[in-house]
Amino acid sequence: MVVLAGPAGAGKTTAALAAYEHFAGEGPVATALLLVPNRPAVEQARRALLERRGQGVLLGPRVVTFADVGSAVLGEGAVRYRRIGLARRRVALEQIVADLHRAGRLQALHSVADAPGLVAALDTAIAELKRSAVEPDDLGAILSPHSPAKHHDLLSVYRAYQQLLLEEGLYDTEGQLWLARLALAEGAELPWPALRAVVADGFTDFTPTQLEILRLLGARLERLVVTLPHGEAGQDGHRWHWTGRQLGRIQQAFGARCAVVPLTPARRGPVAELADGLFQFELSDGSSPADAVPADLCGALRLVSAGGVEAECRAIAHWAKGHLAAGVRADELLVLARDADGYAGPLARIFAEAELPAPPISGPLSETPLGRFLLALLRLGDGFEAADVLAVVGSSFLRPGA
């Protein structure tokens, strides 16, 4: 196991792509996997690999997500299991809640058993438990008679849901990786012939199940390469608190077989340093997020703590409605989200409830004209190369007077 650790701009992805190309070989079927966090990252990685090929041809690239790994492993050995669809999963949870309510086994949730948002909240909570590899018995072991009643209700729903999956030979998205981990631990054959290496890029952390799958795969391969955003403790060390914990978990899982290679970014110019510093808010113990906002940004920036996508979207709708009421035009407001898939639905629904027009989806920021201009502007910080200068001065977004 090799961990390529470094801050943004250190060349982690470039090194990961080079490692993948080295182990994938030149044959029609790659003998390496490039593992990325999600489906948009798959397309981005394929484009990056294609751009690195002088011929403009890429044969059989194996760029996958953990879900793809789970499907491939289960497709080889555990054919008796079937995936439960999203609709059936919701219907199953609704039936479980109704059955527990009729049996008088809901302590805190009995008064909201028919509320439309309850099943969605339970679904989210169970998915988070499964991503953290917390089984019903594990949750039951840490609850006491004095634990909040809603936690005991969650445990009851979770137990019944897991029992249903086992009885009907089903698995959900999170449980798919559990089964894949179990199959690999029991010695299932790898579904990729002559696989030599796995390269994981773009992750800031791994769930316990994902990390165990990496460990099981690494035991059978020549090399396992993982990139991780991380820097020296003395250099903006607060940034690396969480990834530092993840690095510790990786080192604990792999022991002496883990080597950490620190990567240092090239010298950065003043524009790039400005971009880096924009969101450096070091929170001291006991301070509120508002205390961390630089004085010169207090009038332009507000930090909101929200639990989950729904709460975030409601905060955004409240913010937008306040601005519209103050006379700001709708086309003067911009909503940026981490990904369109996770936010488009909740934003449209919650904005409609607030009697606001839903924000139109215009694609990734980096693919919009303004986004391309901002990226071109940031590239100036690395030395004012001729091509970068031309990209900036040729844009209609540039104000020459500025």
Side-chain angles (χ1 to χ4, degrees):
M1 157 66 99
V2 175
V3 180
L4 304 176
K12 298 185 299 296
T13 295
T14 301
L17 295 176
Y20 169 79
E21 290 172 336
H22 171 76
F23 286 102
E26 297 294 335
V29 178
T31 53
L33 296 181
L34 181 56
L35 184 61
V36 294
N38 49 46
R39 192 58 53 191
V42 169
E43 301 306 319
Q44 183 178 356
R46 284 177 174 162
R47 286 197 300 269
L49 287 170
L50 186 60
E51 290 172 359
R52 292 169 60 89
R53 307 289 290 190
Q55 311 95 321
V57 176
L58 190 62
L59 296 177
R62 282 181 168 167
V63 186
V64 298
T65 64
F66 271 107
D68 296 328
V69 172
S71 297
V73 171
L74 295 182
E76 290 292 319
V79 293
R80 60 193 177 93
Y81 293 103
R82 296 171 292 114
R83 178 189 290 275
I84 184 172
L86 178 61
R88 187 176 179 189
R89 172 171 165 153
R90 288 295 180 92
V91 169
L93 287 173
E94 287 179 0
Q95 187 62 51
I96 289 170
V97 170
D99 292 344
L100 291 173
H101 181 51
R102 280 195 298 270
R105 293 175 54 192
L106 294 180
Q107 305 173 49
L109 302 180
H110 64 91
S111 60
V112 293
D114 57 349
L118 177 61
V119 169
L122 289 169
D123 190 11
T124 300
I126 289 173
E128 184 61 32
L129 286 168
K130 299 190 78 168
R131 276 193 292 270
S132 300
V134 179
E135 301 200 36
D137 289 344
D138 299 327
L139 181 59
I142 64 173
L143 294 181
S144 72
H146 305 292
S147 298
K150 64 180 180 180
H151 294 170
H152 288 279
D153 289 349
L154 172 60
L155 174 59
S156 298
V157 176
Y158 189 15
R159 283 193 192 280
Y161 174 68
Q162 280 297 97
Q163 186 63 32
L164 172 70
L165 295 183
L166 290 173
E167 290 175 353
E168 300 194 17
L170 300 170
Y171 65 81
D172 52 22
T173 301
E174 295 77 25
Q176 178 190 51
L177 283 183
W178 286 16
L179 293 174
R181 175 196 61 189
L182 179 62
L184 290 172
E186 293 176 347
E189 291 293 327
L190 295 182
W192 310 280
L195 186 67
R196 299 175 59 199
V198 170
V199 180
D201 180 54
F203 295 89
T204 56
D205 63 352
F206 298 99
T207 68
T209 303
Q210 291 172 340
L211 188 57
E212 179 64 9
I213 286 178
L214 288 178
R215 191 188 68 80
L216 292 168
L217 288 174
R220 307 190 194 186
L221 305 174
E222 294 179 39
R223 186 75 70 211
L224 186 61
V225 179
V226 170
T227 65
L228 192 67
H230 193 67
E232 298 178 3
Q235 177 192 356
D236 299 326
H238 61 284
R239 281 195 195 180
W240 318 120
H241 173 70
W242 294 107
T243 55
R245 292 179 61 179
Q246 183 59 60
L247 179 58
R249 294 189 184 103
I250 292 174
Q251 291 173 314
Q252 182 178 8
F254 288 85
R257 294 186 295 122
C258 178
V260 179
V261 179
L263 300 180
T264 305
R267 185 185 67 83
R268 299 174 65 77
V271 178
E273 290 175 359
L274 175 64
D276 287 343
L278 185 58
F279 296 107
Q280 286 187 19
F281 306 144
E282 183 171 4
L283 293 176
S284 57
D285 292 339
S287 66
S288 70
D291 297 332
V293 180
D296 56 346
L297 289 178
C298 282
L301 185 64
R302 294 180 60 197
L303 302 182
V304 179
S305 297
V309 173
E310 294 275 330
E312 289 178 6
C313 292
R314 294 191 186 281
I316 293 170
H318 179 75
W319 169 84
K321 196 157 189 173
H323 280 71
L324 292 173
V328 177
R329 299 198 317 269
D331 61 359
E332 293 178 320
L333 301 179
L334 178 67
V335 176
L336 301 180
R338 284 190 295 270
D339 65 271
D341 293 339
Y343 283 82
L347 272 176
R349 174 170 46 79
I350 290 171
F351 269 56
E353 293 172 0
E355 300 181 348
L356 294 172
I361 303 298
S362 58
L365 181 63
S366 60
E367 296 178 8
T368 63
L370 177 59
R372 289 197 296 270
F373 171 69
L374 292 174
L375 292 175
L377 188 64
L378 291 178
R379 280 195 294 270
L380 285 180
D382 290 332
F384 289 88
E385 299 293 337
D388 297 333
V389 173
L390 290 174
V392 169
V393 300
S395 171
S396 60
F397 287 97
L398 176 70
R399 286 193 298 119

